[in-house]
């Protein structure tokens, strides 16, 4: 049972359906690095506004302290162990099985337009890539990360895809993915077409490249090098991207009929602020698995609410399906 079903009687979430779903995921960030969860050094006014307009969950968890298991669980609603995906995968290894029904497949089957802009990391090949799992549109990458400017992997491979083809598309990745999301919402709104948008930013993973300052990341040392100031700039630029997405929903008159959910896939390390928590990425301490979650759905979730109800990323799956009126397969 997802958060939507558990909250239904008090909020009305179960009494209506969301035509549109926007799922925003940040990567490798600290619990205390956005304003609604304690950030004072980093300014994130758009994320703060999102929380003020919805509900903030303080006791939300990733099912694993690394990317692949968490993302697989979120996409399917199943525990990583049940998926056979308990660690990160490498090139040449099998990704998320096509037999597993993803959020994208559920939403596509319900008649919604589906899109992923950003990080996939659940399979490196076309046969287990985003399009094979139900996404009508994909612009992003399969790897754990790419350089923010060159769009190459740490081994120098060109890795930015549009659907199933590698492309040359200049720009800072946060802006590239935000541009695609804004265009997708504009087109869907103009066509009165309901949609599911998964916006999976690679920020704030290393390399710690701030907007407006491309730097050398040709070696392992320069890839992981960086400063807290670089990290802060990347996170604040993420907030600007979120602001553009929210503004587009407003401009298209879609905000009231769109559920927006923002979270992380796990905790961060190095430059990240874990708030009051211990350790970080790759550990099962709170700093590795406690993540922010914000849910906004006007008319169904009250404004400025705070909940300490425990939740986990598999709840995202069932919550989004329940809000959209979709019954998951048994």
């Amino acid at each position: 049972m997802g958060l939507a079903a558990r909250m239904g009687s008090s909020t009305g979430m179960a009494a209506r359906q969301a035509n549109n779903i926007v799922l925003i995921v940040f990567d490798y960030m600290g619990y205390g690095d956005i304003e609604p969860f304690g950030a004072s050094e980093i300014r994130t006014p758009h994320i703060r506004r999102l929380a003020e307009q919805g509900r903030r969950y303080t006791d939300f968890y990733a099912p694993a302290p690394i990317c692949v298991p968490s993302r697989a669980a979120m996409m399917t609603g199943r525990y990583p162990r049940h998926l056979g995906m308990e660690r990160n995968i490498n090139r040449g290894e099998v990704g998320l099985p096509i037999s597993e029904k993803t959020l994208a497949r559920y939403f596509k089957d319900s008649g919604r337009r589906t899109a992923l802009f950003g990080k996939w990391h659940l399979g490196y090949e076309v046969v287990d890539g985003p399009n094979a799992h139900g996404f009508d549109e994909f612009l992003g990458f399969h790897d754990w990360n790419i350089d923010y400017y060159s769009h190459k992997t740490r081994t120098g491979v060109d890795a930015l895809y549009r659907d199933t083809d590698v492309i040359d598309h200049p720009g800072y990745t946060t802006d590239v993915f935000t541009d695609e999301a804004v265009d997708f919402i504009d087109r869907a709104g103009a066509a009165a077409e309901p949609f599911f948008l998964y916006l999976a930013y690679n920020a704030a993973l290393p390399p710690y490249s701030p907007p407006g300052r491309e730097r050398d990341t040709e070696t392992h040392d320069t890839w992981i090098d960086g400063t807290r100031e670089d990290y802060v700039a990347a996170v604040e630029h993420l907030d600007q991207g979120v602001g553009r997405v929210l503004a587009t929903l407003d401009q298209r008159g879609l905000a009231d009929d769109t559920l927006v959910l923002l979270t992380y896939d796990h905790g961060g390390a190095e430059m990240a602020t874990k708030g009051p928590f211990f350790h970080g990425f790759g550990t099962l301490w709170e700093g590795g698995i406690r993540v922010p979650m914000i849910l906004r759905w006007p008319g169904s979730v009250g404004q400025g609410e705070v909940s300490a109800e425990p939740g986990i990323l598999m709840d995202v799956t069932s919550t989004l399906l329940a809000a959209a009126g979709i019954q998951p397969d048994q």
Side-chain angles (χ1 to χ4, degrees), residues 85-137:
M85 303 193 79
E86 297 182 85
R87 61 177 179 82
N88 285 339
I89 58 175
N90 300 307
R91 286 187 175 276
E93 296 182 325
V94 176
L96 182 67
I98 297 299
S99 58
E100 298 293 341
K101 195 166 183 179
T102 63
L103 278 171
R105 180 61 63 189
Y106 277 112
F107 285 119
K108 183 180 176 69
D109 289 349
S110 75
R112 290 170 172 82
R113 188 76 181 169
T114 59
L116 163 58
F117 304 122
K119 177 174 176 174
W120 174 238
H121 204 195
L122 294 177
Y124 287 89
E125 306 300 329
V126 170
V127 295
D128 52 14
N131 298 103
H133 277 286
F135 286 102
D136 295 310
E137 300 182 29

Coordinates of all heavy atoms in Angstrom, one line a residue, residues 85-137:
M85 N 18.8 -7.4 -8.3 CA 19.6 -6.2 -8.6 C 20.0 -5.6 -7.3 O 19.4 -4.6 -6.8 CB 18.9 -5.2 -9.5 CG 18.4 -5.8 -10.8 SD 17.8 -4.6 -12.0 CE 19.4 -4.0 -12.6
E86 N 21.1 -6.1 -6.6 CA 21.5 -5.7 -5.3 C 22.8 -4.9 -5.4 O 23.3 -4.5 -4.3 CB 21.6 -6.8 -4.4 CG 20.3 -7.6 -4.1 CD 20.5 -8.7 -3.2 OE1 20.4 -8.5 -1.9 OE2 20.7 -9.9 -3.6
R87 N 23.3 -4.7 -6.6 CA 24.6 -3.9 -6.7 C 24.5 -3.1 -8.0 O 23.6 -3.3 -8.8 CB 25.8 -4.8 -6.7 CG 25.8 -5.8 -7.8 CD 27.1 -6.7 -7.9 NE 27.1 -7.6 -8.9 CZ 27.4 -7.4 -10.2 NH1 27.8 -6.1 -10.5 NH2 27.4 -8.3 -11.1
N88 N 25.4 -2.2 -8.2 CA 25.5 -1.5 -9.4 C 26.0 -2.4 -10.5 O 26.8 -3.3 -10.3 CB 26.4 -0.3 -9.3 CG 25.8 0.9 -8.5 OD1 24.6 1.0 -8.4 ND2 26.6 1.8 -8.0
I89 N 25.5 -2.1 -11.8 CA 25.9 -3.0 -12.9 C 26.9 -2.2 -13.7 O 27.0 -1.0 -13.7 CB 24.7 -3.4 -13.7 CG1 23.9 -2.1 -14.3 CG2 23.7 -4.2 -13.0 CD1 22.8 -2.4 -15.2
N90 N 27.7 -3.0 -14.5 CA 28.7 -2.5 -15.4 C 28.3 -2.8 -16.9 O 27.4 -3.6 -17.1 CB 30.0 -3.1 -15.1 CG 30.5 -2.8 -13.7 OD1 30.5 -1.6 -13.2 ND2 30.8 -3.8 -12.9
R91 N 29.0 -2.2 -17.8 CA 28.8 -2.5 -19.2 C 29.0 -4.0 -19.4 O 29.9 -4.6 -18.9 CB 29.8 -1.7 -20.1 CG 29.4 -0.2 -20.2 CD 30.3 0.5 -21.2 NE 29.9 1.9 -21.3 CZ 28.9 2.3 -22.2 NH1 28.3 1.4 -22.9 NH2 28.6 3.5 -22.2
G92 N 28.1 -4.5 -20.2 CA 28.2 -6.0 -20.5 C 27.4 -6.8 -19.6 O 27.2 -8.0 -19.9
E93 N 26.9 -6.2 -18.6 CA 26.0 -7.0 -17.6 C 24.5 -6.7 -18.0 O 24.2 -5.7 -18.5 CB 26.3 -6.6 -16.2 CG 27.7 -7.0 -15.8 CD 28.0 -6.6 -14.3 OE1 27.4 -5.6 -13.8 OE2 28.7 -7.4 -13.7
V94 N 23.7 -7.7 -17.6 CA 22.3 -7.6 -17.9 C 21.6 -6.5 -17.0 O 22.0 -6.5 -15.8 CB 21.6 -9.0 -17.6 CG1 20.1 -8.8 -17.8 CG2 22.1 -10.0 -18.6
G95 N 20.8 -5.7 -17.5 CA 20.1 -4.7 -16.8 C 18.8 -5.2 -16.3 O 18.5 -6.4 -16.1
L96 N 17.9 -4.2 -16.0 CA 16.6 -4.6 -15.5 C 15.8 -5.4 -16.5 O 15.7 -5.0 -17.6 CB 15.8 -3.3 -15.2 CG 14.4 -3.4 -14.6 CD1 14.5 -4.0 -13.2 CD2 13.6 -2.1 -14.6
P97 N 15.4 -6.6 -16.1 CA 14.7 -7.5 -17.1 C 13.5 -6.9 -17.7 O 12.7 -6.2 -17.0 CB 14.3 -8.7 -16.2 CG 15.3 -8.7 -15.1 CD 15.5 -7.3 -14.8
I98 N 13.3 -7.1 -18.9 CA 12.1 -6.6 -19.6 C 10.8 -7.1 -19.0 O 9.7 -6.5 -19.1 CB 12.2 -6.9 -21.1 CG1 13.4 -6.2 -21.7 CG2 10.9 -6.4 -21.9 CD1 13.4 -4.7 -21.6
S99 N 10.9 -8.3 -18.4 CA 9.7 -8.9 -17.8 C 9.2 -8.1 -16.6 O 8.0 -8.3 -16.2 CB 10.0 -10.3 -17.4 OG 11.1 -10.3 -16.4
E100 N 10.0 -7.2 -16.0 CA 9.6 -6.4 -14.9 C 8.9 -5.2 -15.4 O 9.3 -4.4 -16.3 CB 10.8 -5.9 -14.1 CG 11.6 -7.1 -13.5 CD 10.8 -7.8 -12.4 OE1 9.8 -7.2 -11.9 OE2 11.2 -8.9 -12.1
K101 N 7.6 -5.0 -14.9 CA 6.8 -3.9 -15.4 C 7.2 -2.6 -14.6 O 7.1 -2.6 -13.4 CB 5.3 -4.2 -15.2 CG 4.4 -3.3 -16.0 CD 3.0 -3.8 -16.1 CE 2.1 -2.9 -16.9 NZ 0.7 -3.5 -17.0
T102 N 7.6 -1.6 -15.4 CA 8.0 -0.3 -14.8 C 6.9 0.7 -14.7 O 5.8 0.5 -15.3 CB 9.1 0.3 -15.6 OG1 8.6 0.6 -16.9 CG2 10.3 -0.7 -15.7
L103 N 7.1 1.7 -13.9 CA 6.2 2.9 -13.9 C 5.9 3.3 -15.3 O 4.7 3.6 -15.6 CB 6.8 4.0 -13.1 CG 6.7 4.0 -11.6 CD1 7.5 5.1 -10.9 CD2 5.2 4.1 -11.1
A104 N 6.9 3.4 -16.1 CA 6.7 3.9 -17.5 C 5.8 3.0 -18.3 O 4.9 3.5 -19.0 CB 8.0 4.0 -18.2
R105 N 5.9 1.7 -18.1 CA 5.0 0.8 -18.8 C 3.6 0.9 -18.3 O 2.6 0.9 -19.1 CB 5.5 -0.6 -18.6 CG 4.7 -1.7 -19.3 CD 4.6 -1.5 -20.8 NE 5.9 -1.6 -21.4 CZ 6.2 -1.4 -22.7 NH1 5.2 -0.9 -23.5 NH2 7.4 -1.5 -23.2
Y106 N 3.4 1.0 -17.0 CA 2.1 1.2 -16.5 C 1.4 2.5 -17.0 O 0.3 2.5 -17.4 CB 2.1 1.3 -14.9 CG 2.1 0.0 -14.2 CD1 3.3 -0.4 -13.5 CD2 1.0 -0.8 -14.2 CE1 3.3 -1.6 -12.8 CE2 1.1 -2.0 -13.5 CZ 2.2 -2.4 -12.8 OH 2.2 -3.6 -12.1
F107 N 2.2 3.6 -17.0 CA 1.6 4.9 -17.4 C 1.4 4.9 -19.0 O 0.4 5.4 -19.4 CB 2.5 6.0 -17.0 CG 2.4 6.4 -15.6 CD1 3.5 6.3 -14.8 CD2 1.2 6.8 -15.0 CE1 3.4 6.6 -13.4 CE2 1.1 7.1 -13.7 CZ 2.2 7.0 -12.9
K108 N 2.3 4.3 -19.7 CA 2.1 4.1 -21.2 C 0.8 3.3 -21.5 O 0.0 3.7 -22.3 CB 3.3 3.5 -21.8 CG 3.3 3.4 -23.3 CD 4.5 2.8 -23.8 CE 4.5 2.6 -25.4 NZ 4.6 3.9 -26.1
D109 N 0.6 2.2 -20.8 CA -0.5 1.4 -21.0 C -1.8 2.1 -20.6 O -2.9 1.7 -21.1 CB -0.4 0.1 -20.2 CG 0.7 -0.9 -20.8 OD1 1.2 -0.6 -21.9 OD2 1.0 -1.9 -20.1
S110 N -1.7 3.1 -19.7 CA -2.9 3.8 -19.3 C -3.3 4.9 -20.3 O -4.3 5.6 -20.1 CB -2.7 4.4 -17.9 OG -1.8 5.5 -17.9
G111 N -2.4 5.1 -21.3 CA -2.7 6.1 -22.3 C -2.0 7.4 -22.1 O -2.2 8.4 -22.8
R112 N -1.0 7.4 -21.2 CA -0.2 8.7 -21.0 C 1.0 8.7 -21.8 O 1.6 7.6 -22.1 CB 0.1 8.8 -19.5 CG -1.1 9.1 -18.6 CD -0.7 9.0 -17.1 NE -1.8 9.4 -16.2 CZ -2.8 8.8 -15.9 NH1 -3.0 7.5 -16.3 NH2 -3.7 9.3 -15.0
R113 N 1.5 9.8 -22.2 CA 2.8 10.0 -22.8 C 3.9 9.9 -21.8 O 3.7 10.4 -20.7 CB 2.8 11.3 -23.5 CG 4.1 11.6 -24.4 CD 3.9 10.8 -25.7 NE 5.1 11.0 -26.6 CZ 5.3 10.3 -27.7 NH1 4.4 9.4 -28.0 NH2 6.4 10.5 -28.4
T114 N 4.9 9.2 -22.1 CA 6.0 8.9 -21.1 C 7.3 9.4 -21.6 O 7.7 9.3 -22.7 CB 6.1 7.4 -20.7 OG1 6.4 6.7 -21.9 CG2 4.8 6.9 -20.2
A115 N 8.1 10.0 -20.6 CA 9.4 10.5 -21.0 C 10.4 10.4 -19.8 O 10.0 10.6 -18.7 CB 9.4 11.9 -21.5
L116 N 11.6 10.1 -20.2 CA 12.8 10.1 -19.2 C 13.8 11.1 -19.8 O 14.3 10.9 -20.9 CB 13.4 8.7 -19.0 CG 14.8 8.7 -18.3 CD1 14.8 9.4 -17.0 CD2 15.2 7.2 -18.2
F117 N 14.2 12.1 -19.0 CA 15.3 12.9 -19.3 C 16.3 12.9 -18.2 O 16.0 13.3 -17.1 CB 14.8 14.4 -19.6 CG 13.8 14.4 -20.6 CD1 12.5 14.9 -20.4 CD2 14.0 13.9 -21.9 CE1 11.5 15.0 -21.3 CE2 13.0 13.9 -22.9 CZ 11.8 14.5 -22.6
G118 N 17.5 12.3 -18.5 CA 18.5 12.2 -17.5 C 19.1 10.8 -17.4 O 19.3 10.1 -18.4
K119 N 19.3 10.4 -16.1 CA 20.0 9.2 -15.8 C 19.1 7.9 -15.8 O 18.0 8.0 -15.2 CB 20.7 9.3 -14.5 CG 21.4 8.1 -14.0 CD 22.2 8.4 -12.7 CE 22.9 7.1 -12.2 NZ 23.7 7.4 -11.0
W120 N 19.5 6.9 -16.5 CA 18.8 5.6 -16.5 C 19.5 4.6 -15.6 O 19.0 4.2 -14.5 CB 18.7 5.0 -17.9 CG 18.1 3.7 -18.0 CD1 18.7 2.6 -18.6 CD2 16.8 3.2 -17.7 NE1 17.9 1.5 -18.6 CE2 16.7 1.9 -18.0 CE3 15.7 3.8 -17.0 CZ2 15.6 1.1 -17.8 CZ3 14.6 3.1 -16.8 CH2 14.5 1.7 -17.2
H121 N 20.7 4.1 -15.9 CA 21.5 3.3 -15.1 C 20.9 2.0 -14.7 O 21.1 1.4 -13.6 CB 22.0 4.0 -13.9 CG 23.3 3.4 -13.3 ND1 23.8 3.7 -12.1 CD2 24.2 2.6 -13.9 CE1 24.9 3.1 -11.8 NE2 25.2 2.4 -12.9
L122 N 20.0 1.5 -15.5 CA 19.3 0.2 -15.3 C 19.5 -0.8 -16.5 O 18.8 -1.7 -16.6 CB 17.8 0.4 -15.0 CG 17.5 1.1 -13.7 CD1 16.0 1.3 -13.5 CD2 18.1 0.3 -12.5
G123 N 20.5 -0.5 -17.3 CA 20.8 -1.3 -18.4 C 21.6 -0.5 -19.5 O 21.2 0.7 -19.7
Y124 N 22.6 -1.0 -20.1 CA 23.4 -0.3 -21.0 C 23.1 -0.5 -22.5 O 23.5 0.3 -23.3 CB 24.9 -0.7 -20.8 CG 25.5 -0.1 -19.5 CD1 25.5 -0.8 -18.3 CD2 26.2 1.1 -19.5 CE1 26.0 -0.3 -17.2 CE2 26.7 1.6 -18.4 CZ 26.7 0.9 -17.2 OH 27.2 1.4 -16.0
E125 N 22.3 -1.5 -22.8 CA 22.0 -1.8 -24.1 C 20.6 -1.4 -24.5 O 19.7 -1.1 -23.6 CB 22.1 -3.3 -24.3 CG 23.5 -3.9 -23.9 CD 24.6 -3.3 -24.7 OE1 24.4 -2.9 -25.9 OE2 25.7 -3.2 -24.1
V126 N 20.3 -1.3 -25.8 CA 19.0 -0.9 -26.3 C 17.9 -1.9 -25.8 O 16.8 -1.5 -25.5 CB 19.0 -0.9 -27.8 CG1 17.6 -0.7 -28.4 CG2 19.9 0.3 -28.3
V127 N 18.3 -3.2 -25.7 CA 17.3 -4.2 -25.3 C 16.8 -4.0 -23.9 O 15.7 -4.5 -23.5 CB 17.8 -5.6 -25.5 CG1 18.1 -5.9 -27.0 CG2 19.1 -5.8 -24.7
D128 N 17.6 -3.3 -23.0 CA 17.1 -3.1 -21.7 C 17.2 -1.6 -21.3 O 17.3 -1.3 -20.1 CB 17.8 -4.0 -20.6 CG 19.3 -3.9 -20.7 OD1 19.9 -3.0 -21.4 OD2 20.0 -4.8 -20.1
G129 N 17.1 -0.8 -22.3 CA 17.2 0.7 -22.1 C 15.8 1.2 -21.8 O 14.8 0.5 -21.8
P130 N 15.7 2.6 -21.6 CA 14.4 3.2 -21.3 C 13.3 3.0 -22.3 O 12.2 2.7 -21.9 CB 14.8 4.7 -21.2 CG 16.3 4.7 -20.9 CD 16.8 3.5 -21.6
N131 N 13.6 3.0 -23.6 CA 12.5 2.9 -24.6 C 12.0 1.5 -24.5 O 10.7 1.3 -24.7 CB 13.1 3.2 -26.0 CG 13.5 4.6 -26.1 OD1 14.7 4.9 -26.1 ND2 12.6 5.5 -26.2
A132 N 12.8 0.5 -24.2 CA 12.3 -0.9 -24.1 C 11.5 -1.1 -22.8 O 10.7 -2.1 -22.8 CB 13.5 -1.9 -24.1
H133 N 11.6 -0.2 -21.9 CA 10.8 -0.3 -20.6 C 9.6 0.6 -20.6 O 9.1 0.8 -19.5 CB 11.7 -0.1 -19.5 CG 12.6 -1.3 -19.0 ND1 12.0 -2.3 -18.4 CD2 13.9 -1.6 -19.2 CE1 12.9 -3.2 -18.1 NE2 14.1 -2.8 -18.7
G134 N 9.2 1.2 -21.7 CA 8.0 1.9 -21.7 C 8.1 3.4 -21.9 O 7.0 4.1 -21.9
F135 N 9.3 4.0 -22.0 CA 9.4 5.4 -22.2 C 9.3 5.7 -23.7 O 10.1 5.2 -24.5 CB 10.7 5.9 -21.7 CG 10.8 6.0 -20.2 CD1 11.4 5.0 -19.4 CD2 10.2 7.0 -19.5 CE1 11.5 5.0 -18.1 CE2 10.2 7.1 -18.1 CZ 10.8 6.1 -17.4
D136 N 8.3 6.6 -24.0 CA 8.2 7.0 -25.4 C 9.3 7.9 -25.9 O 9.7 7.9 -27.0 CB 6.9 7.8 -25.6 CG 5.6 7.0 -25.3 OD1 5.5 5.9 -25.9 OD2 4.8 7.4 -24.5
E137 N 9.8 8.7 -24.9 CA 10.9 9.6 -25.2 C 12.0 9.5 -24.2 O 11.7 9.3 -23.0 CB 10.4 11.1 -25.2 CG 9.3 11.4 -26.3 CD 8.9 12.8 -26.3 OE1 9.8 13.7 -26.0 OE2 7.7 13.1 -26.6

